[in-house]
Amino acid sequence: MSTVTLRQALSVLGRSSPFAVSTLSDEKSTDLLDQLKSYLFIEQEIEGDFVAALKAVKFGDVIFLCGSSGDGKSEILTRHYDEFRDTVYFHLDATHSFAPQQSGTQALDVLFDKRASDNKPLAIGVNIGMLANYGKEGADRHADVKAAIDRFLGQQAPPANFVFLDFEQYPKFNFTIDAETYSVFAKRLMQRLTADSAENPFRRLASQDQQSGTDLKLVANFALLGRQSVQETIIDNLFKTRLAKDQFITTRALLDLLHHLLVGDQYLADSLFCGGDSELAQRLSDFDPASKRTQKLDQFVLRYELDLPDVELDEFLIQLSTQHLVYSRTPSNPGSAGSLIRLFYLLRNESIANNYHHQFSDEFSDELLERYAKVWLLHDQFSGEEREKTNLRQFYVNELISAVFNYANRNAPKLKKGELFLGQFGDIELATPVELKGDYASISRNRATRSSHFFAYLKILDVSLSPIAINLSLFELIYKLNRGYRPNKYDKSAVVLLDEIIEQVTEVAKLNSRLKFYGMDSSYTLSHDDEMITVSEAY
């Protein structure tokens, strides 16, 4: 072990590592780096279900392990190849072919031909896109397979001899009641990587490098990652990226990010928010705490960059340096105030040095994810009870419905409460009084099946609107609109979703029998029934 450094050992995490993708082989590697990779193994729920399916497999069965590139399909298949290869034919990746001129679809045709001839069960790793392609382009002689795929993609139960295990149905990030973390898998992975135990080869290598004075920035990053609150901060930001940016996070992407955080040229706090080569690292930079503008943080930056006296800060930096966290407080090191702010944020729930950073903890208060989780769970668990309805009504009345009126009426300040702007014709503004309310019956019949969004349900003029998908970005915009915020170009994706809601509401509101006309100095109400149209002046 002494011939390997911590940096070399951590290479098993990197996307470019030869260990990132597994292949089937009758020979087992005894390479040390392969052993390090095996140490990090954490079984996912989908793997347990895959093994159960293998044990229950019958002649002619097909098990599809479905997902995106980097999910870990080949890893799972490889891990169980030896045990089941005599009874099940394994095909790691359905995009691979058996000949240079052969397409992935043609390769699957060959597999299913083999199944038809010898009836041996198949276990296939396949991307969802490839699965859809085969459903359309596969040979007609495998109509049973194509029909099963179509049923699965259409969210219908496939025939009993076809098993589909989809990584999308086993999210790595999710909301659960009273959960200590948003991602059990990511938490277990970081805990195993940094565990302070004799069995952990990475911890032994970190201690070895520290004692020899080798790669001390990496040693410091490794120690930071071992702190529980740091792990939770990373998970929170990953989940925000998943929700707000619709960033899908695979196992490979997560491992590659950990490699980036640990072995980069910067300290972990900077690596987390300063971008990188991967799309995930770039998306995380959108949540950079150094970009927050508060009076207290701005004053800190000014004092720091001007090198004004601050005895407690000096002591804090001295004590940090004993843990190999070296931050130079000099005017010749521009931007280092931002680095410290990121460190303050990363360690806001940790005691370290003289705890100088705790004075800024409140500046990083971010209740958005917690508020979203609460409303998501209210939708997911709603059964129609009055207490649950009371809690949900707070969101619908005070937030969603209020934001719809605020946004729809943003260019019509004359309108009264409960009136919806329909358009402007010359100097005349046209509106209609409507009652918009939550459709709680529809909520009770549905569940928030994905953490990336929940479905809100509204009713207007006793007409139920189509389900409204609310992700974290739209949820944040709704909250901000009710507090006087005006959207800008950076809110484009959320505004598009909000516009779709307004369009739905407006189309139904136009059916109202009452219209309101606002002119320069007066307003009129027009109403009609089957026999009469009435015009009255409103005050």
mmCIF file of all heavy atoms in Angstrom, residues 187 190-196 200 203 219-232 234 262 268 350:
data_model
loop_
_atom_site.group_PDB
_atom_site.id
_atom_site.type_symbol
_atom_site.label_atom_id
_atom_site.label_comp_id
_atom_site.label_asym_id
_atom_site.label_seq_id
_atom_site.Cartn_x
_atom_site.Cartn_y
_atom_site.Cartn_z
ATOM 1 N N LYS A 187 -24.830 9.842 0.672
ATOM 2 C CA LYS A 187 -24.311 9.946 2.039
ATOM 3 C C LYS A 187 -23.487 8.708 2.394
ATOM 4 O O LYS A 187 -22.376 8.815 2.942
ATOM 5 C CB LYS A 187 -25.483 10.104 3.011
ATOM 6 C CG LYS A 187 -25.072 10.359 4.459
ATOM 7 C CD LYS A 187 -24.392 11.702 4.618
ATOM 8 C CE LYS A 187 -24.039 11.981 6.070
ATOM 9 N NZ LYS A 187 -25.241 12.293 6.884
ATOM 10 N N MET A 190 -20.032 8.817 0.552
ATOM 11 C CA MET A 190 -19.042 9.723 1.147
ATOM 12 C C MET A 190 -18.584 9.225 2.513
ATOM 13 O O MET A 190 -17.411 9.368 2.872
ATOM 14 C CB MET A 190 -19.630 11.131 1.249
ATOM 15 C CG MET A 190 -19.725 11.832 -0.094
ATOM 16 S SD MET A 190 -20.261 13.573 -0.003
ATOM 17 C CE MET A 190 -22.030 13.358 0.122
ATOM 18 N N GLN A 191 -19.499 8.634 3.268
ATOM 19 C CA GLN A 191 -19.113 8.093 4.573
ATOM 20 C C GLN A 191 -18.132 6.933 4.412
ATOM 21 O O GLN A 191 -17.158 6.831 5.172
ATOM 22 C CB GLN A 191 -20.361 7.620 5.330
ATOM 23 C CG GLN A 191 -21.215 8.746 5.882
ATOM 24 C CD GLN A 191 -22.464 8.226 6.572
ATOM 25 O OE1 GLN A 191 -22.991 7.166 6.232
ATOM 26 N NE2 GLN A 191 -22.948 8.975 7.549
ATOM 27 N N ARG A 192 -18.391 6.085 3.442
ATOM 28 C CA ARG A 192 -17.504 4.938 3.234
ATOM 29 C C ARG A 192 -16.136 5.391 2.734
ATOM 30 O O ARG A 192 -15.099 4.873 3.156
ATOM 31 C CB ARG A 192 -18.134 3.968 2.233
ATOM 32 C CG ARG A 192 -17.366 2.662 2.091
ATOM 33 C CD ARG A 192 -18.236 1.554 1.565
ATOM 34 N NE ARG A 192 -17.518 0.294 1.472
ATOM 35 C CZ ARG A 192 -17.273 -0.527 2.491
ATOM 36 N NH1 ARG A 192 -17.681 -0.186 3.703
ATOM 37 N NH2 ARG A 192 -16.627 -1.658 2.323
ATOM 38 N N LEU A 193 -16.124 6.364 1.843
ATOM 39 C CA LEU A 193 -14.872 6.872 1.302
ATOM 40 C C LEU A 193 -13.984 7.475 2.381
ATOM 41 O O LEU A 193 -12.761 7.314 2.347
ATOM 42 C CB LEU A 193 -15.172 7.918 0.229
ATOM 43 C CG LEU A 193 -13.989 8.660 -0.393
ATOM 44 C CD1 LEU A 193 -13.047 7.687 -1.114
ATOM 45 C CD2 LEU A 193 -14.469 9.735 -1.352
ATOM 46 N N THR A 194 -14.588 8.154 3.358
ATOM 47 C CA THR A 194 -13.800 8.910 4.353
ATOM 48 C C THR A 194 -13.836 8.282 5.741
ATOM 49 O O THR A 194 -13.347 8.881 6.690
ATOM 50 C CB THR A 194 -14.330 10.350 4.442
ATOM 51 O OG1 THR A 194 -15.707 10.341 4.849
ATOM 52 C CG2 THR A 194 -14.204 11.058 3.098
ATOM 53 N N ALA A 195 -14.414 7.092 5.869
ATOM 54 C CA ALA A 195 -14.590 6.476 7.189
ATOM 55 C C ALA A 195 -13.275 6.403 7.963
ATOM 56 O O ALA A 195 -12.232 6.037 7.423
ATOM 57 C CB ALA A 195 -15.176 5.072 7.031
ATOM 58 N N ASP A 196 -13.343 6.757 9.235
ATOM 59 C CA ASP A 196 -12.160 6.714 10.106
ATOM 60 C C ASP A 196 -12.053 5.319 10.715
ATOM 61 O O ASP A 196 -12.371 5.098 11.880
ATOM 62 C CB ASP A 196 -12.282 7.779 11.198
ATOM 63 C CG ASP A 196 -10.998 7.906 12.007
ATOM 64 O OD1 ASP A 196 -9.985 7.302 11.610
ATOM 65 O OD2 ASP A 196 -11.014 8.607 13.034
ATOM 66 N N ASN A 200 -10.490 1.087 6.099
ATOM 67 C CA ASN A 200 -10.596 2.025 4.985
ATOM 68 C C ASN A 200 -9.219 2.311 4.388
ATOM 69 O O ASN A 200 -8.414 3.026 4.988
ATOM 70 C CB ASN A 200 -11.242 3.331 5.454
ATOM 71 C CG ASN A 200 -11.431 4.327 4.318
ATOM 72 O OD1 ASN A 200 -11.090 4.067 3.165
ATOM 73 N ND2 ASN A 200 -11.968 5.494 4.654
ATOM 74 N N ARG A 203 -8.433 6.122 3.973
ATOM 75 C CA ARG A 203 -8.064 6.819 5.216
ATOM 76 C C ARG A 203 -6.613 6.532 5.566
ATOM 77 O O ARG A 203 -5.882 7.429 6.002
ATOM 78 C CB ARG A 203 -9.001 6.377 6.338
ATOM 79 C CG ARG A 203 -8.627 6.896 7.728
ATOM 80 C CD ARG A 203 -8.722 8.396 7.821
ATOM 81 N NE ARG A 203 -10.101 8.865 7.707
ATOM 82 C CZ ARG A 203 -10.462 10.128 7.831
ATOM 83 N NH1 ARG A 203 -9.532 11.045 8.072
ATOM 84 N NH2 ARG A 203 -11.719 10.489 7.692
ATOM 85 N N VAL A 219 -5.050 16.287 1.317
ATOM 86 C CA VAL A 219 -5.302 15.766 2.667
ATOM 87 C C VAL A 219 -6.358 16.624 3.371
ATOM 88 O O VAL A 219 -7.275 16.113 4.026
ATOM 89 C CB VAL A 219 -4.003 15.730 3.489
ATOM 90 C CG1 VAL A 219 -4.295 15.416 4.955
ATOM 91 C CG2 VAL A 219 -3.026 14.695 2.909
ATOM 92 N N ALA A 220 -6.253 17.957 3.209
ATOM 93 C CA ALA A 220 -7.227 18.869 3.825
ATOM 94 C C ALA A 220 -8.612 18.662 3.231
ATOM 95 O O ALA A 220 -9.617 18.644 3.948
ATOM 96 C CB ALA A 220 -6.776 20.313 3.640
ATOM 97 N N ASN A 221 -8.676 18.497 1.925
ATOM 98 C CA ASN A 221 -9.969 18.273 1.272
ATOM 99 C C ASN A 221 -10.597 16.961 1.732
ATOM 100 O O ASN A 221 -11.817 16.877 1.940
ATOM 101 C CB ASN A 221 -9.790 18.251 -0.251
ATOM 102 C CG ASN A 221 -9.611 19.625 -0.846
ATOM 103 O OD1 ASN A 221 -9.978 20.633 -0.237
ATOM 104 N ND2 ASN A 221 -9.035 19.692 -2.032
ATOM 105 N N PHE A 222 -9.775 15.946 1.882
ATOM 106 C CA PHE A 222 -10.263 14.646 2.329
ATOM 107 C C PHE A 222 -10.842 14.755 3.739
ATOM 108 O O PHE A 222 -11.899 14.178 4.040
ATOM 109 C CB PHE A 222 -9.129 13.623 2.297
ATOM 110 C CG PHE A 222 -9.555 12.204 2.522
ATOM 111 C CD1 PHE A 222 -10.073 11.453 1.487
ATOM 112 C CD2 PHE A 222 -9.443 11.618 3.773
ATOM 113 C CE1 PHE A 222 -10.475 10.132 1.683
ATOM 114 C CE2 PHE A 222 -9.830 10.312 3.991
ATOM 115 C CZ PHE A 222 -10.351 9.558 2.944
ATOM 116 N N ALA A 223 -10.163 15.520 4.599
ATOM 117 C CA ALA A 223 -10.654 15.717 5.971
ATOM 118 C C ALA A 223 -11.967 16.500 5.967
ATOM 119 O O ALA A 223 -12.886 16.202 6.744
ATOM 120 C CB ALA A 223 -9.600 16.444 6.801
ATOM 121 N N LEU A 224 -12.069 17.507 5.100
ATOM 122 C CA LEU A 224 -13.317 18.272 5.003
ATOM 123 C C LEU A 224 -14.476 17.382 4.573
ATOM 124 O O LEU A 224 -15.570 17.445 5.136
ATOM 125 C CB LEU A 224 -13.162 19.421 4.004
ATOM 126 C CG LEU A 224 -12.383 20.659 4.455
ATOM 127 C CD1 LEU A 224 -12.202 21.631 3.289
ATOM 128 C CD2 LEU A 224 -13.100 21.354 5.612
ATOM 129 N N LEU A 225 -14.239 16.533 3.582
ATOM 130 C CA LEU A 225 -15.293 15.656 3.085
ATOM 131 C C LEU A 225 -15.741 14.664 4.156
ATOM 132 O O LEU A 225 -16.870 14.172 4.110
ATOM 133 C CB LEU A 225 -14.809 14.905 1.841
ATOM 134 C CG LEU A 225 -15.867 14.088 1.103
ATOM 135 C CD1 LEU A 225 -16.965 14.994 0.556
ATOM 136 C CD2 LEU A 225 -15.236 13.275 -0.026
ATOM 137 N N GLY A 226 -14.884 14.386 5.103
ATOM 138 C CA GLY A 226 -15.230 13.456 6.166
ATOM 139 C C GLY A 226 -16.164 14.045 7.210
ATOM 140 O O GLY A 226 -16.701 13.317 8.052
ATOM 141 N N ARG A 227 -16.395 15.359 7.168
ATOM 142 C CA ARG A 227 -17.291 15.999 8.134
ATOM 143 C C ARG A 227 -18.750 15.810 7.689
ATOM 144 O O ARG A 227 -19.096 16.049 6.536
ATOM 145 C CB ARG A 227 -16.972 17.489 8.264
ATOM 146 C CG ARG A 227 -15.606 17.761 8.908
ATOM 147 C CD ARG A 227 -15.303 19.250 8.915
ATOM 148 N NE ARG A 227 -14.029 19.543 9.544
ATOM 149 C CZ ARG A 227 -13.870 19.913 10.811
ATOM 150 N NH1 ARG A 227 -14.939 20.050 11.590
ATOM 151 N NH2 ARG A 227 -12.675 20.180 11.300
ATOM 152 N N GLN A 228 -19.592 15.396 8.619
ATOM 153 C CA GLN A 228 -20.973 15.055 8.290
ATOM 154 C C GLN A 228 -21.733 16.241 7.696
ATOM 155 O O GLN A 228 -22.461 16.094 6.710
ATOM 156 C CB GLN A 228 -21.707 14.544 9.529
ATOM 157 C CG GLN A 228 -23.161 14.173 9.262
ATOM 158 C CD GLN A 228 -23.823 13.498 10.448
ATOM 159 O OE1 GLN A 228 -23.159 12.859 11.266
ATOM 160 N NE2 GLN A 228 -25.130 13.645 10.551
ATOM 161 N N SER A 229 -21.592 17.435 8.281
ATOM 162 C CA SER A 229 -22.354 18.580 7.784
ATOM 163 C C SER A 229 -21.872 19.017 6.402
ATOM 164 O O SER A 229 -22.650 19.551 5.601
ATOM 165 C CB SER A 229 -22.261 19.754 8.768
ATOM 166 O OG SER A 229 -20.970 20.316 8.770
ATOM 167 N N VAL A 230 -20.592 18.775 6.106
ATOM 168 C CA VAL A 230 -20.074 19.074 4.769
ATOM 169 C C VAL A 230 -20.718 18.129 3.760
ATOM 170 O O VAL A 230 -21.121 18.545 2.662
ATOM 171 C CB VAL A 230 -18.536 18.959 4.732
ATOM 172 C CG1 VAL A 230 -18.017 19.034 3.300
ATOM 173 C CG2 VAL A 230 -17.902 20.055 5.583
ATOM 174 N N GLN A 231 -20.836 16.868 4.119
ATOM 175 C CA GLN A 231 -21.501 15.900 3.241
ATOM 176 C C GLN A 231 -22.940 16.324 2.974
ATOM 177 O O GLN A 231 -23.414 16.273 1.834
ATOM 178 C CB GLN A 231 -21.459 14.513 3.882
ATOM 179 C CG GLN A 231 -20.058 13.952 4.033
ATOM 180 C CD GLN A 231 -20.005 12.681 4.869
ATOM 181 O OE1 GLN A 231 -21.043 12.190 5.322
ATOM 182 N NE2 GLN A 231 -18.810 12.157 5.115
ATOM 183 N N GLU A 232 -23.644 16.785 4.018
ATOM 184 C CA GLU A 232 -25.036 17.197 3.840
ATOM 185 C C GLU A 232 -25.141 18.453 2.972
ATOM 186 O O GLU A 232 -26.075 18.594 2.179
ATOM 187 C CB GLU A 232 -25.695 17.450 5.200
ATOM 188 C CG GLU A 232 -26.055 16.191 5.943
ATOM 189 C CD GLU A 232 -26.958 15.276 5.132
ATOM 190 O OE1 GLU A 232 -27.854 15.768 4.414
ATOM 191 O OE2 GLU A 232 -26.754 14.053 5.186
ATOM 192 N N ILE A 234 -23.097 19.275 0.536
ATOM 193 C CA ILE A 234 -22.889 18.820 -0.841
ATOM 194 C C ILE A 234 -24.165 18.180 -1.375
ATOM 195 O O ILE A 234 -24.605 18.469 -2.500
ATOM 196 C CB ILE A 234 -21.711 17.827 -0.901
ATOM 197 C CG1 ILE A 234 -20.396 18.548 -0.577
ATOM 198 C CG2 ILE A 234 -21.637 17.173 -2.288
ATOM 199 C CD1 ILE A 234 -19.210 17.610 -0.413
ATOM 200 N N LEU A 262 -12.029 16.547 -4.563
ATOM 201 C CA LEU A 262 -10.890 16.157 -3.737
ATOM 202 C C LEU A 262 -9.548 16.481 -4.375
ATOM 203 O O LEU A 262 -8.658 17.031 -3.717
ATOM 204 C CB LEU A 262 -10.964 14.658 -3.428
ATOM 205 C CG LEU A 262 -12.081 14.228 -2.477
ATOM 206 C CD1 LEU A 262 -12.198 12.712 -2.446
ATOM 207 C CD2 LEU A 262 -11.826 14.774 -1.072
ATOM 208 N N LEU A 268 -11.811 22.315 -1.324
ATOM 209 C CA LEU A 268 -13.089 21.693 -1.651
ATOM 210 C C LEU A 268 -14.207 22.720 -1.816
ATOM 211 O O LEU A 268 -15.035 22.600 -2.724
ATOM 212 C CB LEU A 268 -13.450 20.671 -0.560
ATOM 213 C CG LEU A 268 -14.631 19.744 -0.820
ATOM 214 C CD1 LEU A 268 -14.421 18.416 -0.106
ATOM 215 C CD2 LEU A 268 -15.948 20.353 -0.384
ATOM 216 N N GLU A 350 -20.454 23.550 11.429
ATOM 217 C CA GLU A 350 -19.320 22.847 12.040
ATOM 218 C C GLU A 350 -18.565 23.774 12.989
ATOM 219 O O GLU A 350 -18.502 24.987 12.768
ATOM 220 C CB GLU A 350 -18.349 22.378 10.951
ATOM 221 C CG GLU A 350 -18.820 21.190 10.146
ATOM 222 C CD GLU A 350 -18.622 19.865 10.869
ATOM 223 O OE1 GLU A 350 -17.925 19.853 11.911
ATOM 224 O OE2 GLU A 350 -19.161 18.854 10.399
#
